[in-house]
Amino acid sequence: MGAATKLAFAVFLISCSSGAILGRTETQECVFYNMSWEKERTNRSGIEPCYGEKDKRRHCFATWKNSSGTVEVLKQGCWLDDVNCYDSNECVERKESPDVFFCCCEGNMCNERFMHSPDPQAVQGKSTTHSQRTATSNPYPQNPQLFNTLLYSLVPIMGIAAIVLFSFWMYRHHKLAYPPVLVPTQDSGPTPPSPLLGQKPLQLLEVKARGRFGCVWKAQLLNEYVAVKIFPLQNKQSWQNEYDIYSLSGMKHENILHFIGAEKRGSHLDVELWLITTYHERGSLTDYLKANVVSWNELCHIAQTLARGVAYLHEDIPGLKDGHKPAVAHRDIKSKNVLLKTNLTACVADLGLALKFEAGKSAGETHGQVGTRRYMAPEVLEGAINFQRDAFLRIDMYAVGLVLWELAARCTAADGPVDEYMLPFEEEVGQHPSLEDMQDVVVHKKLRPTLRECWQKHAGLAMLCETIEECWDHEAEARCRRAVWRSASFRCSGRPASSRPRRSPSSPWSPTQTSRPKSPAYDGCSQRERGQGRNR
């Protein structure tokens, strides 16, 4: 091929692509319909204006079912930038026989009409005809040199082979990086049901966070944003455990992250395990405190709602409409696993390590030394945990104390300066402590994060400091679960801490107390604590 021919071919390609870009149809509005309009509190039908970022393309979509020839429309409306919809003026489903039909297109109101047209033979025939036309339309005889023929033939093949070998090496390297015991040798059970997702298309938008068990995506489920936590196959145990905990009776609570569904995507070694929950734009408490300080009222609201979530998780509640809610220990409470709603209401998230405790049943195989090292209680760091329900709940209480300290450290209520955000023990062990570092600081030296002197001069912060000290007491049996109940029922009054009524450790719960645990068998205070003072 001569230089002039190459130049002409390049100009032709640029002209075609420019014409396609300039000539594409801009989508500004779409037909809107929602079969579940009453439940989701939207309009039933109408015209929906499409909004989005300037550099993103907008489309229309439609979803429907076909039951014995009867078409039942599920949803119609605007759709985000999707390469599968580019330059399609008609809304056509190309799949052979899906359970739920879905199509998207470009152009105003292009989803007003939609159709199902798989027609693979026509597509194949068109491709074959085009190939034949291309082969016979060249008037010049092709007499390439042998070297050029080999070069053009072998280089792409060698490139593809190199990519395949590199991909296989990466897969083997990644697979061997995980402990063999975590890789399931066979499917341990059926895919968890996800009825809310079966009829709705789910579109991943951007990665918001990465953790030890997977990454969290912001995604769009029709007209609302959701969070999708994606686990690799090696972490199936954590995904399955989190799904099982969310599926327990009575797990719907304002201060526990709302669970939507779970799915398996892909097949064989390419399986991804998805967990879909409500999306909260403010993100985690860690991220919020890094960028913001909090007022006294904001601290109270976050602390109260966090305490209510943990307290409800710990409760054993019989007699609910959907069954008996067992007590659940979180085992990885930290500010990163506390999400904030728009109004700064806290909700507890990430139940991958959680344990449930049902009467007469074992908690199952577990390992005591789990969680985030920085938030591990002294008995966990020592490996001397008692594998009973109360012991696990007290471990959670220790971590709650550290999270409350993070809140106090970023509060503007005290007269002193507010420092930059720091994690608990960051001054002592830095950002990436080893297990030995935490054992030395927490177990041997018995240190805790500093409770600043200026906090004691503020009535509310002084009471919060007392609650924090009760939570992170070195002796596990001295950690009274009433501390978290007290912070859950605490109100931001102006009365000094010393003038508020105090309940002695030995006093029983009042029958009229609204925040009384519903399981009287455990209030977190042992006989040992009632008989002697706590060792601070």
Side-chain angles (χ1 to χ4, degrees), residues 280 282-289 335-340:
H280 297 296
R282 289 190 184 273
S284 71
L285 180 58
T286 302
D287 298 331
Y288 186 79
L289 292 179
S335 55
K336 196 74 176 175
N337 289 340
V338 177
L339 302 183
L340 295 181

Side-chain angles (χ1 to χ4, degrees), residues 42-95:
T42 65
N43 293 331
R44 183 174 185 178
S45 60
I47 297 175
E48 180 182 13
C50 300
Y51 303 101
E53 300 176 15
K54 292 183 179 180
D55 59 337
K56 302 291 185 180
R57 295 170 72 160
R58 300 184 291 270
H59 321 289
C60 300
F61 82 96
T63 59
W64 71 95
K65 279 188 172 183
N66 191 342
S67 303
S68 302
T70 303
V71 175
E72 181 184 14
V73 181
L74 302 176
K75 292 269 188 177
Q76 288 174 285
C78 296
W79 191 244
L80 296 177
D81 193 352
D82 190 335
V83 68
N84 297 314
C85 314
Y86 284 5
D87 303 321
S88 175
N89 296 325
E90 294 182 334
C91 201
V92 183
E93 169 64 277
R94 297 293 183 184
K95 292 182 181 178

Side-chain angles (χ1 to χ4, degrees), residues 102-377:
F102 172 83
C103 68
C104 57
C105 54
E106 285 189 330
N108 288 331
M109 311 292 284
C110 63
N111 65 335
E112 187 172 9
R113 297 181 59 190
F114 47 88
M115 64 187 76
H116 177 223
S117 178
D119 201 15
Q121 295 181 352
V123 175
Q124 183 179 357
K126 180 178 178 181
S127 176
T128 305
T129 305
H130 177 74
S131 301
Q132 292 174 350
R133 187 185 302 120
T134 304
T136 56
S137 62
N138 188 354
Y140 301 100
Q142 299 181 4
N143 296 313
Q145 297 180 3
L146 179 61
F147 177 76
N148 290 341
T149 302
L150 292 174
L151 182 64
Y152 292 137
S153 301
L154 294 180
V155 168
I157 296 175
M158 293 174 64
I160 293 173
I163 292 172
V164 171
L165 290 174
F166 179 75
S167 301
F168 179 76
W169 180 84
M170 287 293 293
Y171 165 72
R172 292 287 298 172
H173 179 75
H174 179 73
K175 182 177 179 180
L176 293 175
Y178 289 89
V181 295
L182 293 180
V183 181
T185 56
Q186 60 183 3
D187 195 347
S188 61
T191 303
S194 188
L196 293 179
L197 303 182
Q199 301 178 11
K200 299 181 181 181
L202 184 64
Q203 186 178 20
L204 300 179
L205 300 178
E206 59 177 319
V207 175
K208 302 300 290 187
R210 295 185 185 275
R212 93 190 105 178
F213 292 125
C215 60
V216 178
W217 284 75
K218 177 182 179 181
Q220 183 159 11
L221 188 60
L222 293 181
N223 294 326
E224 64 179 357
Y225 291 124
V226 296
V228 179
K229 189 174 181 182
I230 300 181
F231 299 75
L233 184 60
Q234 291 85 350
N235 292 330
K236 180 177 180 180
Q237 183 178 356
S238 178
W239 170 79
Q240 187 71 51
N241 186 68
E242 191 158 1
Y243 169 75
D244 291 341
I245 296 294
Y246 275 123
S247 302
L248 292 172
S249 300
M251 282 298 292
K252 290 184 180 180
H253 188 271
E254 180 188 8
N255 304 120
I256 295 176
L257 182 61
H258 177 64
F259 172 69
I260 296 175
E263 289 190 350
K264 290 183 182 179
R265 296 291 180 105
S267 58
H268 303 296
L269 295 177
D270 296 328
V271 166
E272 288 182 338
L273 309 171
W274 289 19
L275 203 72
I276 301 94
T277 62
T278 301
Y279 175 75
H280 297 296
E281 186 66 45
R282 289 190 184 273
S284 71
L285 180 58
T286 302
D287 298 331
Y288 186 79
L289 292 179
K290 283 180 180 178
N292 303 276
V293 293
V294 292
S295 67
W296 172 240
N297 287 336
E298 289 172 338
L299 181 149
C300 285
H301 183 66
I302 296 172
Q304 288 167 7
T305 51
L306 165 63
R308 288 177 191 144
V310 175
Y312 184 81
L313 200 65
H314 285 182
E315 278 193 276
D316 184 285
I317 310 176
L320 295 175
K321 291 182 179 179
D322 57 344
H324 185 135
K325 179 204 169 293
V328 176
H330 189 285
R331 297 209 299 166
D332 196 20
I333 289 178
K334 56 184 177 179
S335 55
K336 196 74 176 175
N337 289 340
V338 177
L339 302 183
L340 295 181
K341 301 181 182 180
T342 306
N343 64 351
L344 295 185
T345 295
C347 59
V348 180
D350 197 346
L351 303 176
L353 293 175
L355 277 179
K356 62 180 178 180
F357 300 95
E358 297 176 297
K361 295 183 180 179
S362 170
E365 294 184 8
T366 183
H367 189 276
Q369 209 166 51
V370 299
T372 304
R373 293 187 189 119
R374 186 183 305 278
Y375 293 84
M376 284 183 178

